[in-house]
Each structure stands twice: as structure tokens, then as C-alpha cells.
């Protein structure tokens, strides 16, 4: 699984470089449901988007999460705490293909 995640990270990195979108990666330790397998996922940060490259252990593939920071700002302005937002707010978007992930990053950073 780690090799798949690293390959996707490299693909995303090359494409964002080609599109001249500034970005950074940071490591994220991710465990499977019973904590028997640990892999290194990646947080991807651009000027406009925070996202994650993560494993889907059940399907044995790499998938993605995009954090909706505008929604979080709105929920904070409505008086919700961080814990309430993460429990009840729909602040993550799930993406299943590398192409769609890159397309969304490119669109959000135009």
C-alpha cells in the first residue's frame, strides 16, 4: 500500500509543478481499523486547499479527502466548536481518482 501512496504523491507533485501551483506535503501516519497496519499518508497544502492522500485499506487503493475550509469558517461564525464541526459538519469531500483530485486542486487554485 505504501508504494501505491508514494506513487500517487509523485504523480500529484509532478502535475502541480507543471501547473505552477505552489504546494507542500507533510506526512500523516495512518493505521488500518484494527491498528495492525501503518502507512504514511500525505497532507497536501496549497494556497487555497488543504487535502489528504490516504489509503482505502478495504479496497487496497489510494483515495483523497479535500477539506472545505470555507464551510468550516461559516460553521465557526455560526458558533460551532471545532469538535461539533468535525462530528456534525460535512467538511470533507471524498475523491476516488487521482485525475479528479488533481483537477479539483487545479480548479481551486486558478
Amino acid at each position: 500500500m505504501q508504494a501505491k501512496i508514494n506513487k500517487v504523491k509523485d504523480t500529484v507533485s509532478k502535475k502541480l509543478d507543471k501547473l505552477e501551483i505552489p504546494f507542500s506535503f507533510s506526512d500523516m501516519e495512518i493505521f488500518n481499523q484494527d491498528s495492525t497496519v501503518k502507512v504514511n499518508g500525505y497532507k497536501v497544502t496549497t494556497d487555497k486547499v488543504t487535502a489528504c492522500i490516504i489509503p482505502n485499506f478495504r479496497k487496497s487503493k489510494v483515495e483523497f479527502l479535500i477539506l472545505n475550509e470555507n464551510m468550516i469558517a461559516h460553521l465557526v461564525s455560526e458558533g460551532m466548536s471545532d469538535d461539533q464541526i468535525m462530528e456534525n459538519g460535512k467538511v470533507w469531500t471524498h475523491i476516488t481518482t487521482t485525475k479528479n483530485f488533481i483537477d479539483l486542486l487545479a480548479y481551486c487554485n486558478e
Side-chain angles (χ1 to χ4, degrees), residues 8 10 19 47 49-50 55 64 70 73-74 80 95 97-98 100:
V8 168
D10 291 343
L19 295 170
D47 290 341
V49 176
T50 301
F64 312 89
N70 290 333
H74 170 72
M80 292 183 81
I95 298 175
T97 68
T98 303
N100 288 346

Side-chain angles (χ1 to χ4, degrees), residues 2-91:
Q2 189 64 59
K4 289 180 184 181
I5 293 170
N6 292 343
K7 183 177 178 182
V8 168
K9 176 190 177 217
D10 291 343
T11 299
V12 169
S13 178
K14 287 175 186 172
K15 187 63 175 180
L16 293 179
D17 280 341
K18 185 176 180 181
L19 295 170
E20 299 181 353
I21 297 171
F23 67 95
S24 64
F25 286 112
S26 54
D27 296 347
M28 300 172 41
E29 287 186 343
I30 300 172
F31 292 88
N32 67 345
Q33 189 171 357
D34 61 5
S35 298
T36 58
V37 177
K38 178 184 95 168
V39 297
N40 194 47
Y42 298 99
K43 177 180 171 186
V44 183
T45 306
T46 70
D47 290 341
K48 311 252 177 165
V49 176
T50 301
C52 300
I53 301 171
I54 57 169
N56 181 328
F57 289 106
R58 290 183 190 162
K59 295 181 180 179
S60 189
K61 61 183 271 190
V62 178
E63 296 185 350
F64 312 89
L65 294 173
I66 303 285
L67 183 62
N68 186 338
E69 294 170 292
N70 290 333
M71 177 62 80
I72 291 172
H74 170 72
L75 294 173
V76 167
S77 75
E78 295 289 321
M80 292 183 81
S81 70
D82 288 345
D83 290 338
Q84 289 172 315
I85 291 169
M86 291 316 231
E87 270 184 45
N88 304 310
K90 294 188 178 184
V91 296

Side-chain angles (χ1 to χ4, degrees), residues 97-108:
T97 68
T98 303
K99 180 189 180 319
N100 288 346
F101 179 66
I102 292 169
D103 288 349
L104 185 61
L105 290 177
Y107 174 78
C108 291

